[in-house]
């Protein structure tokens, strides 16, 4: 955490607040372009976003709450087009939640010693030496839900290539992860941005 922009002094609090307000205003401008259902759905996401920062003190599953927040886009995309939330969006949302829990567990392994000292909870600490097994279940569940979302939405067959590539990427992460190598955990976490 000490290397992040605020604690390291790379960004002042005033700059951080200005950036936050600017991002919020841009997000609001984008949100207001959607239909009423999508706007209300977008606003409702703020509840999950607001509680996430406190979850590391309350539950061993803060990554689940992060997944609820980060995956909201699956619901928003569908709602923006169809002014509703149907089965494909819900399946995609569920799969994305599992994926987020998995990749953020990898990320949390780099901080697990410091987290234990200060009493911060996480799935990395909860899963411990069983992390690979949990990742296989989480990523496997994500892929199944993604495939069901694809089938339910009747996406074109070439889209399955992306699902296969994502599965290969997730499988590789599970195969190579060393949960005691903080640098590798950070690299694997960052590799999720390409999926």
């Amino acid at each position: 955490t000490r290397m992040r922009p605020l604690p390291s002094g790379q960004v002042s609090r005033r700059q951080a607040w200005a950036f936050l307000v600017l991002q919020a205003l841009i997000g609001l401008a984008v949100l207001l372009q959607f239909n009423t259902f999508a706007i209300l759905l977008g606003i409702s996401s703020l509840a999950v976003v607001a509680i996430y920062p406190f979850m590391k003190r309350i539950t061993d599953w803060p990554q689940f709450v992060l997944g609820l927040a980060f995956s909201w886009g699956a619901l928003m995309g569908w709602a923006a087009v169809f002014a509703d939330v149907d089965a494909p969006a819900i399946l995609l949302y569920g799969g994305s939640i599992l994926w987020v829990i998995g990749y953020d567990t990898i990320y949390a392994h780099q901080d697990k010693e410091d987290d234990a000292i200060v009493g911060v909870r996480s799935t990395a600490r909860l899963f411990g030496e069983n992390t690979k097994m949990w990742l296989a279940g989480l990523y496997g569940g994500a892929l199944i839900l993604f495939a069901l979302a694809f089938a339910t939405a009747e996406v074109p067959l070439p889209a399955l290539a992306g699902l296969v590539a994502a599965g290969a990427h997730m499988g590789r992460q599970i195969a190579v992860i060393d949960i005691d190598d903080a640098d590798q955990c950070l690299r694997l976490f960052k590799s999720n941005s390409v999926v």
Side-chain angles (χ1 to χ4, degrees), residues 48-155:
V48 178
V49 172
I51 66 167
Y52 168 68
F54 306 102
M55 291 298 106
K56 288 185 176 189
R57 301 282 182 191
I58 296 171
T59 179
D60 291 326
W61 290 88
Q63 285 73 19
F64 171 72
V65 181
L66 181 68
L68 293 174
F70 274 15
S71 304
W72 207 267
L75 302 176
M76 288 297 297
W78 192 272
V81 174
F82 299 106
D84 200 350
V85 174
D86 295 315
I90 294 168
L91 291 165
L92 187 62
Y93 183 61
S96 182
I97 291 167
L98 295 177
W99 177 51
V100 171
I101 296 169
Y103 78 68
D104 201 62
T105 295
I106 292 170
Y107 181 69
H109 269 286
Q110 72 172 335
D111 295 326
K112 64 188 172 192
E113 288 84 13
D114 290 339
D115 289 350
I117 292 168
V118 297
V120 170
R121 300 159 75 178
S122 72
T123 50
R125 292 186 58 212
L126 177 67
F127 300 164
E129 294 300 318
N130 296 318
T131 293
K132 281 191 176 197
M133 178 191 68
W134 277 94
L135 289 175
L138 291 163
Y139 283 171
L143 292 168
I144 289 168
L145 290 174
F146 291 157
L148 290 170
F150 282 22
T152 307
E154 299 176 2
V155 300

Side-chain angles (χ1 to χ4, degrees), residues 46 56 67 72 79 92 97 116 157 179 181 189 195:
L46 295 176
K56 288 185 176 189
W72 207 267
L92 187 62
I97 291 167
L157 193 58
I179 61 170
D181 182 343
F189 167 77
V195 174

